[in-house]
Amino acid sequence: MDSIKTKCLIIGSGPAGYTAALYTSRANISPLLYEGHQPGGQLTITTEVENFPGYPEGTTGTELMEDIRKQAIRFGAQVREGIITEVDFSQRPFKAVTDGGITIAAESVIISTGASAKFLGLADEQKYMGLGVSACATCDGFFYRKKRVAVVGGGDTACEEALYLSNLASEVFLIVRKDYLRASKVMQQRVLDKPNIKVLFNTNTAGLYGEDYLEGAHLIENIGTPKEQHFDLPIDGFFLAIGHKPNTDIFSKYIELDENGYIKTIGQSTATNVEGVFAAGDVADPHYRQAITAAGSGCKAALDVERYLAGNA
């Protein structure tokens, strides 16, 4: 079995991982980064990115990630395709194993595996991803100005997304499978008071339709009851707001997580409960989940690693 030694192993890519690789490589740490299941992270399934500083004309998520990736490699980061399938943080150096059977011994680790949006499980979701389907209203809402959109979900996140979109879109439909909202009372009232938000209670999404782009959703009202009714809702955008799942399963034995599976960090730092292991990006951020905040935390993690290694030389 092949084995590798590194001062810093970065697990996962995206804006957090690539930025961490950029900063650690410029500090002559020569990091080793494994890109994971989705090289470039969730941003690679977003078509247009207009809110990342430095791109006045906008760019695509894929191009943005490729730019940061190339920048990290330019300064000496070792970026490899592959998935870390197993870790052991009980000893130093830390141990990790790749899906190719390579064992890595690392003096420090940055976890940047991100969080995956939860989907309804419809085949159409992937078909129209980036073509009308989105899991981030803040990222993509601007493209639906004066258009009709729908948000799926009944919690605080769904209500927040619906309210955000209501300031951009002409009409917002909040699709709720139950007969009530799970959001806080204040959030519920804000949604119900907004004139261009219509809440569709007791409604499930059966599918999506459209030629080249999303054109609408197939909905079922009062499913499984005598009042069951099927209808189509013409919309331009379909936003999923049923939660995110942080990609932390392989770390849970060693790393302290919150009740939703996000990595807990110490104070304003990116340090975890295991000294020498740091977390950056959406894997430790249930609140903001933006490319720029992920990149910023990747920078912080790299600086934390640099200080850690200097103090343990």
Side-chain angles (χ1 to χ4, degrees), residues 195-219:
N196 65 333
I197 298 178
K198 182 178 181 180
V199 183
L200 304 178
F201 290 109
N202 296 310
T203 303
N204 290 64
T205 306
L208 305 171
Y209 64 89
E211 290 292 331
D212 297 325
Y213 295 89
L214 175 73
E215 295 177 17
H218 301 300
L219 303 180

Side-chain angles (χ1 to χ4, degrees), residues 10-283:
I10 301 173
I11 305 174
S13 47
Y18 288 150
T19 302
L22 169 61
Y23 272 77
T24 49
S25 59
R26 290 188 77 250
N28 293 322
I29 293 173
S30 300
L32 173 63
L33 181 150
Y34 271 84
E35 294 182 297
H37 291 278
Q38 191 175 37
Q42 290 189 83
L43 214 61
T44 58
I45 60 174
T46 299
T47 49
E48 295 293 323
V49 177
E50 293 188 330
N51 57 0
F52 198 92
Y55 291 86
E57 302 302 320
T59 184
T60 68
T62 300
E63 289 171 343
L64 174 59
M65 289 301 92
E66 186 60 25
D67 283 347
I68 305 177
R69 183 181 189 272
K70 287 177 180 176
Q71 197 172 1
I73 292 172
R74 175 191 167 199
F75 289 103
Q78 302 175 63
V79 177
R80 299 190 178 187
E81 293 182 358
I83 301 163
I84 300 297
T85 57
E86 183 182 340
V87 296
D88 183 354
F89 295 156
S90 67
Q91 57 181 321
R92 290 182 174 78
F94 303 116
K95 302 292 184 184
V97 180
T98 74
D99 55 345
I102 297 172
T103 299
I104 301 164
E107 295 177 35
S108 63
V109 174
I110 295 175
I111 301 170
S112 56
T113 47
S116 301
K118 293 180 181 178
F119 290 88
L120 296 172
L122 306 172
D124 298 333
E125 289 171 314
Q126 298 306 317
K127 177 181 177 181
Y128 297 109
M129 182 58 64
L131 301 173
V133 172
S134 171
C136 180
T138 311
C139 308
D140 301 326
F142 180 82
F143 303 110
Y144 297 92
R145 294 185 67 179
K146 309 299 181 185
K147 296 184 178 181
R148 288 161 54 99
V149 301
V151 177
V152 179
D156 280 312
T157 299
C159 288
E160 286 174 7
E161 302 249 305
L163 285 165
Y164 176 82
L165 289 165
S166 70
N167 295 319
L168 298 167
S170 60
E171 289 183 275
V172 179
F173 298 90
L174 185 58
I175 302 172
V176 184
R177 62 188 178 89
K178 297 183 180 294
D179 60 357
Y180 60 89
L181 292 169
R182 293 181 291 103
S184 62
K185 295 296 182 183
V186 172
M187 192 63 70
Q188 289 184 41
Q189 199 58 50
R190 287 176 184 170
V191 166
L192 295 173
D193 289 345
K194 195 77 176 189
N196 65 333
I197 298 178
K198 182 178 181 180
V199 183
L200 304 178
F201 290 109
N202 296 310
T203 303
N204 290 64
T205 306
L208 305 171
Y209 64 89
E211 290 292 331
D212 297 325
Y213 295 89
L214 175 73
E215 295 177 17
H218 301 300
L219 303 180
I220 306 174
E221 188 178 17
N222 297 310
I223 190 170
T225 74
K227 295 181 179 179
E228 181 173 311
Q229 179 182 356
H230 295 241
F231 65 99
D232 288 345
L233 178 68
I235 49 174
D236 303 290
F238 184 82
F239 290 84
L240 293 148
I242 55 177
H244 286 73
K245 183 185 185 302
N247 302 316
T248 54
D249 289 350
I250 67 168
F251 311 114
S252 59
K253 181 179 178 181
Y254 307 98
I255 300 298
E256 189 175 354
L257 311 176
D258 70 10
E259 63 275 12
N260 294 312
Y262 288 89
I263 294 176
K264 289 185 177 182
T265 52
I266 300 171
Q268 297 298 310
S269 76
T270 63
T272 70
N273 61 297
V274 177
E275 187 179 1
V277 179
F278 305 86
D282 288 10
V283 76

